[in-house]
Amino acid sequence: MSEMLRTLLSIDTFKNGRGPRYLQLRRLIEDAIRNGLIKPGDALPSEREIASRIDLSRVTVRKAVQDLVRDGVLFQRHGSGTFVAPKVGRVEQSLSILTSFTEDMASRGISVRSVWLDRGIYVPSPEEFVALGLSANERVVRIARLRIGNDEPLALERASLSAKTLPDPNAVGSSLYEALEKTGMRPVRAVQRISAALLGEKDAELLGVTAGSAGLNIERTSYLASGKVVEFTRSVYRADAYDFVAELRLPPTAATKQEEP
Ligand code: 16G
């Protein structure tokens, strides 16, 4: 716990407050976040420690913390504690609609920018060769970006495309899909594989979280209507910032049976 936070969570700060004690504590934590004393991803002291520092019952502390969890200001990870949530809140991405990062953010009113980590033309790796269905001597264009929403790093995306699909990596401005749309190459279908990951030191540093934080590895292979592969993208998303949501339905035959009287 930082020295500032220690001072803040002291009996003195709390002495002359007004209103219910749990609301006072809630306000204190919100102010600490607003003033940058505790930052997204930081751990909060345990309920027991807060309770003993400011002489409150643990029930009162729990109520304040649960309120903030409910409102998305804090989040809890089973077994490892309570943390300050990312500024953008958790982003929900539908798994049934093929949208771009730029579109996902725009639909939520989140401003987006990217930091370029790499863009160039390369000899394909064996994995890219297979995933993109390349023929001998074809080159790949690699585009690697740190994607940022409302000034907060959210994901690392490393896209590979055949140089035949995207001959000039510099043709990509702020959106890859927008660039592909211009040449009639925007994908219409994608297969996405999501797996859990612990962020390594380098990725964690770029994403502004502690090494070992939870991440989501996502591999997206996108296709044109003709079946040709457009992009093979490997991404690392912050698990504390993203929820991928899938809608499930009964298979058509089962649905028909249910409707019968
Ligand atoms: C999404 C895609 C990524 C695609 C990018 C294009 C996931 C996991 N990945 O982030 O594969 O390349 O959108 O976004 O959803 P852009 O058009 O904003 O560059």
Side-chain angles (χ1 to χ4, degrees):
M1 187 178 15
S2 75
E3 202 46 52
M4 299 274 245
L5 188 59
R6 197 162 279 147
T7 318
L8 196 77
L9 291 175
S10 69
I11 297 180
D12 291 344
T13 329
F14 234 69
K15 235 174 8 206
N16 302 314
R18 288 214 195 128
R21 305 290 271 168
Y22 84 91
L23 278 182
Q24 287 180 43
L25 177 58
R26 186 194 153 119
R27 253 179 267 130
L28 188 88
I29 296 173
E30 280 178 313
D31 285 348
I33 296 170
R34 206 171 304 120
N35 300 332
L37 292 181
I38 31 176
K39 299 194 170 51
D42 280 356
L44 220 67
S46 68
E47 286 175 5
R48 184 183 314 150
E49 181 166 0
I50 299 179
S52 77
R53 286 197 152 270
I54 49 184
D55 200 21
L56 286 178
S57 76
R58 281 183 69 180
V59 176
T60 306
V61 175
R62 181 158 312 141
K63 184 154 171 45
V65 169
Q66 289 311 326
D67 260 32
L68 291 167
V69 169
R70 187 200 58 211
D71 293 348
V73 179
L74 302 175
F75 71 98
Q76 289 178 315
R77 249 185 242 139
H78 191 66
S80 57
T82 305
F83 300 84
V84 179
K87 264 184 268 156
V88 293
R90 290 181 76 86
V91 176
E92 277 194 9
Q93 190 195 106
S94 164
L95 283 174
S96 50
I97 309 167
L98 181 56
T99 45
S100 70
F101 186 86
T102 308
E103 291 161 344
D104 282 343
M105 294 298 131
S107 67
R108 293 170 181 83
I110 297 174
S111 69
V112 58
R113 79 190 158 85
S114 302
V115 172
W116 286 90
L117 304 173
D118 187 13
R119 67 166 122 186
I121 303 177
Y122 293 88
V123 173
S125 69
E127 199 185 7
E128 287 169 325
F129 193 82
V130 174
L132 293 168
L134 302 176
S135 39
N137 300 325
E138 256 188 87
R139 294 285 184 263
V140 285
V141 162
R142 287 190 197 142
I143 285 175
R145 294 169 292 174
L146 171 67
R147 319 254 16 208
I148 301 168
N150 279 0
D151 283 333
E152 192 163 358
L154 295 175
L156 287 161
E157 291 194 329
R158 299 176 174 100
S160 304
L161 301 91
S162 156
K164 283 186 184 160
T165 307
L166 180 73
D168 178 11
N170 293 314
V172 180
S174 55
S175 162
L176 172 62
Y177 280 13
E178 200 181 287
L180 293 170
E181 182 128 38
K182 284 190 190 144
T183 55
M185 290 287 187
R186 180 170 172 145
V188 298
R189 185 174 76 83
V191 175
Q192 207 161 276
R193 183 184 293 270
I194 306 180
S195 54
L198 296 180
L199 297 174
E201 229 162 83
K202 220 166 143 214
D203 285 356
E205 197 186 328
L206 287 166
L207 289 168
V209 293
T210 342
S213 301
L216 296 163
N217 276 342
I218 304 178
E219 251 181 42
R220 182 185 281 195
T221 311
S222 309
Y223 302 85
L224 290 178
S226 65
K228 189 179 168 351
V229 177
V230 181
E231 93 183 295
F232 173 56
T233 298
R234 282 156 290 183
S235 313
V236 187
Y237 277 69
R238 275 173 54 183
D240 62 338
Y242 256 83
D243 284 330
F244 287 87
V245 181
E247 189 188 64
L248 308 176
R249 292 171 193 250
L250 278 176
T253 47
T256 323
K257 266 189 215 141
Q258 281 216 334
E259 277 163 24
E260 281 167 10

